[in-house]
């Protein structure tokens, strides 16, 4: 099951809610304003580090670029829209807003 | 692979419509079939032909219309959601249609994936 | 063989009622899908649990109420109603406060159910 | 007292439009003048006459139109926001009009209060 | 300055953000999904108690009724739309979403 | 006497750019209001500070960028730009990361400014 999150962790509780339901090993993809979660050195970095121990974490590069986020937490893999499709090929999708 | 898309927000106000479009394009480019884009909640406002954004901006309704013409993607707006929000056959852009939630159920059943974009 | 066409579809209700239309339009979707004999389940997470709160009276805000429609789900053979335990507790609510009988699940149980689904739709 | 209202979300999807209407009604009942309701962002979709909700539900566009007729409240949609979202003179309900953001500035200046409803 | 909040404190950070900027004595009115903040015995009750020490707190009764919220924190005054207008008569408005 | 018609109007930008249109349409409103010679101020709170982040390149998402428009505000005589200190710190950002020169304020200072306003509009 691929989980996607499109909300900034600062503004809405989507990130904190979603990670409670993640099963170990399931991929997590941040898109749109969700990508702020992978910016290194922000308030949510410790929570993200916890997720990275058990789950592969991805972020949509076009959304990172659009927001000027260049400092990205170690272990996060950046993908483009094609990579997003590749993840959907492998998994059913759970889109969290 | 056959993919259905559910889009739950209107154009411009939320990025959901843009991401859905970019995803659909990439899926088609990778050889997949995008069967249908079903519009729900404010999503139904994606297909009004009265949309007239600034010249240097994308035309979101026009873009969905093109996708439908080029790749046979059905662009379908939920009838109940459309009626609430003033979307009727009179303003529908070419390549889109109004239909019921039963169609969404069919889309969910007949596709390998149903992916939601919203807010 | 027939079972091959039955899909596991989960609806996740996460919004409080009335402030936005998501829960109401979500419920409209669930009622239509119920006629298609798929394997449906409905999960209430976060403010979604407030949608089930007893005693809602919307006459003052001029919006049609719908909490009683949840009671009708049983008649549509939508019987798998799950509520997230933490969401309930954080809001100081218990099963007694809800208009329907639900199964209260821990996040891990819900997570396991999610993993089994073919389709998940958040409202 | 003279009051202006700024409404930033569309009908039905968010309660903002309902609260703005109830507030306007109550202000008028208390003897105040509601000078104008200015529609911005998705708020512009409040005034399409194509809106056709279920019979037992409120008609939000119709309600704004009535308020305008009865109490002289101007219902004004921002032109740039309207163009993006497919709201044009063709679909405008009676009592509403499309105008520029300069008008909102005038409303802010000439009223004792400007109160925003949004999401 | 009258501050209004229309978001559930559970879903969005509006409540927590707004109270950082409240000046002592300024009234705070909860409307729409914001009224969940005045439900007694929930996770945000301690934060609300803090606000009640320095600011008058109101909640829109039609919105409480619509949501079936009957257990309300001590010190919160319920108003109808007319009471909302009365608060606006006395103050300029700062509407937080 | 003229001053009686000058209103203190504050715009509060609280959304990240691109995910929603609020910041962009907020900026459009600010640019129009700037022509009316009112006493305008703009405050960035919460994710609103991300709107000022340097190095935004929106070509990949197909949406027009607008962070450079903030640099033009000065030319419109919109000079009162305030950023909330806590919002900046929580996001691991400093003034160096922003496309324009702003004044960083504590919440109490911003609260005092808010109290002086005739009109406050959140975007």
């Amino acid at each position: 099951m691929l989980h996607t999150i499109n909300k900034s962790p600062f503004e809405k509780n989507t990130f904190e809610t979603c990670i409670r339901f993640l099963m170990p090993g399931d991929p997590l993809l941040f898109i749109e304003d969700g990508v702020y979660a992978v910016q290194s050195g922000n308030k949510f970095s410790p929570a993200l580090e916890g997720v990275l121990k058990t789950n592969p974490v991805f972020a949509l590069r076009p959304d990172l670029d659009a927001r000027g986020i260049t400092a990205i937490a170690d272990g996060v893999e950046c993908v483009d829209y094609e990579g997003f499709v590749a993840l959907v090929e492998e998994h059913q999708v759970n889109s969290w807003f | 692979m056959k993919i259905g898309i559910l889009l739950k927000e209107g154009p411009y106000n939320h990025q959901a419509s843009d991401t859905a479009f970019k995803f659909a394009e990439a899926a088609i480019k990778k050889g997949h079939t995008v069967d249908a884009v079903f519009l729900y909640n404010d999503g139904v406002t994606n297909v009004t032909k009265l949309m007239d954004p600034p010249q240097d901006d994308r035309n979101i309704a026009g873009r969905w219309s093109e996708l439908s013409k080029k790749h046979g993607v059905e662009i379908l707006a939920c009838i109940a959601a459309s009626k609430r929000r003033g979307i009727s056959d009179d303003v529908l852009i070419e390549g889109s249609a109004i239909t019921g939630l039963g169609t969404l159920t069919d889309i969910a059943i007949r596709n390998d994936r149903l992916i939601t974009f919203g807010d | 063989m027939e079972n091959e066409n039955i899909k596991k579809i989960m609806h996740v209700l996460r919004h409080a009622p009335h402030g936005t239309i998501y829960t109401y339009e979500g419920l409209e979707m669930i009622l239509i899908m119920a006629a298609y004999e798929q394997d449906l389940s409905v999960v209430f997470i976060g403010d979604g649990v407030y949608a089930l709160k007893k005693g809602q009276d919307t006459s003052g805000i001029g919006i049609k109420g719908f909490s009683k429609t949840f009671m009708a789900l049983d008649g549509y053979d939508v019987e798998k109603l799950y509520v997230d335990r933490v969401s309930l507790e954080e809001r100081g609510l218990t099963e007694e406060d809800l208009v329907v009988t639900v199964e209260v699940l821990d996040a891990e149980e819900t997570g396991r159910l999610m993993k089994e689904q073919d389709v998940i739709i958040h409202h």
Side-chain angles (χ1 to χ4, degrees), chain B residues 9 40-41 84-85 102 111, chain C residues 7 22 25 28 36 122:
Chain B
E9 293 293 338
Y40 200 53
N41 304 128
R84 275 193 194 101
R85 294 165 179 87
N111 280 280
Chain C
K7 291 229 171 175
Y22 299 109
E25 288 194 332
E28 287 193 331
Y36 283 70
H122 288 244

Side-chain angles (χ1 to χ4, degrees), chain A residues 7-75:
Chain A
K7 286 288 163 298
S8 161
F10 292 96
E11 299 298 307
K12 249 192 116 177
N13 69 347
T14 311
F15 171 67
E16 284 165 288
T17 303
C18 170
I19 62 176
R20 288 205 291 120
F21 298 92
L22 271 186
M23 301 301 282
D26 278 350
L28 178 57
L29 169 67
F30 292 97
I31 66 171
E32 302 177 1
D33 287 345
V35 299
Y36 290 116
V38 307
Q39 179 200 18
S40 63
N42 80 29
K43 191 182 147 192
F44 290 91
S45 299
L48 185 75
E49 272 171 43
V51 175
L52 278 160
K53 281 180 193 149
T54 49
N55 295 72
V57 176
F58 302 85
L60 200 55
R61 190 188 298 280
D63 279 320
L64 285 164
D65 291 347
R67 290 158 181 83
I69 302 300
T70 46
I72 292 160
D74 284 346

Side-chain angles (χ1 to χ4, degrees), chain C residues 1 7 17 26 33 37 53-54 57 60 69 80 101 106-107:
Chain C
M1 289 297 279
K7 291 229 171 175
M33 286 201 174
E37 300 188 347
K53 178 82 180 62
K54 276 182 188 162
D57 171 9
T69 311
K80 296 180 179 171
T101 309
D106 291 325

